[in-house]
Structure formats: C-alpha cells, structure tokens
Amino acid sequence: MQYLKFILNIPELLLFAYLAFGVLYILLFSIAGLFKVKSNTKSVSKMERNFAVLIPGYKEDSVIIEVAKKALEQTYDKAKYDVVVIADSFEQKTLEALKALPIILIEVSFETSTKSKALNAAMAQIGDSYDVALILDADNIMESDFIGKMNQAFDQGFKVVQGHRIAKNTNTSFAILDAISEEVNNHIFRKGHRVLGFSSALIGSGMAFDYQYFKSTMANIKAIGGFDKEVELTLLRDGETIEYLDDALVLDEKVQKADVFANQRKRWLSAQFVYFKRFFWSGIKALFLKGNVDFFDKVYQMIAPPRVLLAGLVTVLTMISLVFQAFFPELSMLFYVPPLAWLVTFSAVIVAFFCAIPKVFYNGKTLNALLTLPKAFGLMFLSLFRLKGANKKFIHTQHGTINSN
C-alpha cells in the first residue's frame, strides 16, 4: 500500500524536488553574494582600448537623443570611443537630430527586426578598428566613468564583462517590482556567481566584449528574442569566463504597466525554454566529458523556475499544505511531502530574497508595491501557457513613457 501511495504521489514529489532545488540554488548564490568578489590585481595588458558603443533601437524616438548625448559625456578619452546609434524605424526628425551629434548613425530596416540583425549590420559597416564592443539598450544611460571601468576589466584579461544595470525609474508599483527583480538577479546570478568562481550572467545591455570575438560570435547568432542568452551559452560552451563589475553602473528604464510586464516576461520565458532545448544535451556532454560546470550551470538556469514564480508557487503550496494539515488531517495523509518540508522551503525562499534585495528598497513604497506581487505572479503563471510562437516574432518593449504616477 505504501509503495502504491509513493507511485501515485510521484508528480507531487517531482514538483517538490524541482522547486526545492530551485530554492536551494538561489539561497546558495544569494548568501555568496553577501561577500566580496576576489579581485585580480595583476594586469595582463594595461592600455586604453578603442570602444564601439553600439546602441540599437527600434522606434525609440522618445529616448534615443538623450541617450546618445549622455553617451558622449564619458570621462574616457573621447578619441578612444565612438557612439554608434543603429536606427530601425525612427522618425525623420529624430534622424536629423542624431545627425547633428558627433556620433555614427547607421540606419537599418528589416522585414523582421531583431537586435542581433541590427548589431551585425552595424559591425559590418563600422569596420574592425575597435578593441571592444559595448552594447547598450536605447534607454540606457552610463555613469560617466563606465567605459573606463570596463577598460580596466579588460586589463585583467577578460573577453566579456557585464556591468551593473540599475533602475532609472521607480515611479509605479510594477517599476519597483521590476527594479527589485533586476537587483535580485544582479546579486544572485552575477555577484554571487562570481564570488563562487562561476561566470556572471549577461543581461542584454551594459555589457562589453572583445570586438573581434563578439563580431565572429554574433555572425552565427540568429535569435529573434533573447539574443543575449544565445551569446552567453555560446561563450560559456567555448570556455570563456564572464566578469561582472558591481560598481560599473548603467541606468535602465523599468516597465511601469502590467501589460508591458507580461509581454516582457513572456518573451524571456519563451527564450529560456527555446535555449534549454537547444543546449541541453551539449550541456550534459560538456559537464561529463570536459568538466565545464559553468556551461552546465547556465543550461540549468534556462529551466530553473523564475524568481517570482518560484516564490509564488512555494508560498501557495506551503499554505495549501498547512491548511490541509490543520483542517483536513485525513486528506493531508494523502500527500507524501510533509507540511514541515514545505515550511522549510518557504523559509529558505524568504532568507534568499532577504539577502538579495538591497536595503534601499526596504521602505513604504516597496511595501505598497508588494500588494501587486500576486498580480505579477498571476501574469507570469499565465505566460507559461502563452509561450507558443513567442520566440518567433519580435516583441518590442516601448521606452520613454516615464510618468509621475
């Protein structure tokens, strides 16, 4: 009878194992993120490199001019970097304003617009006189010494460096949640990973690459959505280490509305599933045949539960388990996983997030934003059932609509 109960409860056990491992994973790296990354003070080659600051944008008329102007205000030697705006479907007045700036303007047009196509088109035109390709989104604003800090990381011999993206705005509840989500990911998947010797995760912008390596890698990237994930997996499969600079800041606009949040997360979830299927077996082979733990770790991240879904599911299932134990003890005996196991898992989630969320967010505005967390969880959960075809079409996130609400 006990054996039959075990067989019938296999789905429950698999779900618990999946969620519990996900919790232990983020808990480990969240605690690690509390420590400092061991820095390498030895320079491999100290020099001022030539940077191509590549800014692809699709219909980003409302933000691109300010971003281009700010990008020109770096303390780095002006002769050592070019700002390259890649304009897809911009208005004519925006193009004229950009032409008046001391930047390189490249106009592109595609039947299906993607960031990878824009970047490849730009690099084909600007030539090979650069040492580093620095990628920004069309809404990103770098701190004044961002390029200088990136250059110093390349002095240490890294070919790929991710900067610290922080929120440009926290003006709505969803913007606050998005800002917190980004900082949690920075803490766990970037700083925490580097502390334990793993590569940092890429985030799509505020990142720099050895120019020739990036150009040759991008030539084989055909991604419509989540191009940074494909680049990241390719780099780690090749044995490269991705550095993370916690003190190199770049401002990024956070989503402010529920529908934008849902679309963005759907695109991200779809990309993760696509790349998990594509790289799963090569990740297994790399782990056992080459000992490439870094690459395998990244493949796992593609199928790991997103943080909002993880916290939401563990919370809901813990409450259900406790309710059944308190009010329906006879029915609770049907479950194989005891309430205590769910309670411990839930507690671990709380500790992981407590370690990862910056103290600046411990305020009344965040408390108010948490009231929308169930809605965010619901939107992400529903997105799981709407992923079909999401990675086969371009889903644009509109920027430049910051308001004071």
Side-chain angles (χ1 to χ4, degrees), residues 93-107:
K93 63 178 181 180
T94 303
L95 295 174
E96 293 301 323
L98 290 170
K99 288 175 183 177
L101 299 175
I103 66 170
I104 297 174
L105 177 63
I106 296 177
E107 298 178 50

Side-chain angles (χ1 to χ4, degrees), residues 110-211:
F110 308 104
E111 184 176 343
T112 303
S113 296
T114 69
K115 188 181 287 189
S116 54
K117 287 180 182 178
L119 290 168
N120 282 322
M123 287 186 288
Q125 289 192 43
I126 64 177
D128 298 326
S129 61
Y130 301 98
D131 302 304
V132 180
L134 196 162
I135 316 301
L136 297 180
D137 278 344
D139 63 303
N140 289 169
I141 294 178
M142 301 178 286
E143 65 171 348
S144 61
D145 58 349
F146 187 82
I147 294 180
K149 289 178 179 179
M150 284 286 174
N151 187 66
Q152 290 175 6
F154 279 89
D155 284 342
Q156 313 306 319
F158 293 104
K159 284 187 176 181
V160 191
V161 184
Q162 174 65 59
H164 183 170
R165 228 169 61 171
I166 63 174
K168 182 192 289 186
N169 61 298
T170 53
N171 56 313
T172 70
S173 291
F174 269 96
I176 292 172
L177 292 181
D178 197 16
I180 292 174
S181 175
E182 179 128 280
E183 288 297 359
V184 167
N185 288 340
N186 284 332
H187 184 91
I188 294 172
F189 296 101
R190 295 176 185 90
K191 187 182 178 186
H193 268 65
R194 292 302 293 134
V195 168
L196 294 182
F198 291 84
S199 283
S200 162
L202 294 179
I203 201 170
S205 70
M207 54 187 186
F209 304 81
D210 174 88
Y211 186 85

Side-chain angles (χ1 to χ4, degrees), residues 48 72-78 81 143-148:
E48 281 192 322
L72 293 167
E73 297 175 0
Q74 290 289 295
T75 56
Y76 199 68
D77 186 348
K78 298 292 187 289
Y81 76 96
E143 65 171 348
S144 61
D145 58 349
F146 187 82
I147 294 180

Side-chain angles (χ1 to χ4, degrees), residues 2 8 26 38 45 55 59 110 114 143 145 170-171 180 214 227 235 329 343 346 365 370-371 374-375 380 394 396:
Q2 192 67 20
L8 293 174
I26 67 167
K38 187 178 180 181
S45 57
I55 312 177
K59 295 183 178 180
F110 308 104
T114 69
E143 65 171 348
D145 58 349
T170 53
N171 56 313
I180 292 174
F214 182 64
F227 95 99
L235 292 171
L343 196 57
F346 172 75
K365 289 179 67 177
L370 290 178
L371 297 176
K375 184 176 182 179
M380 287 201 70
F394 177 63
H396 176 54

Side-chain angles (χ1 to χ4, degrees), residues 82-103:
D82 288 324
V83 175
V84 183
V85 173
I86 312 161
D88 187 349
S89 304
F90 282 15
E91 296 175 3
Q92 189 59 40
K93 63 178 181 180
T94 303
L95 295 174
E96 293 301 323
L98 290 170
K99 288 175 183 177
L101 299 175
I103 66 170

Side-chain angles (χ1 to χ4, degrees), residues 245-259:
L245 297 185
D246 195 47
D247 65 340
L249 306 179
V250 57
L251 297 173
D252 178 73
E253 185 178 317
K254 300 293 101 183
V255 299
Q256 301 165 70
K257 299 177 181 179
D259 57 341

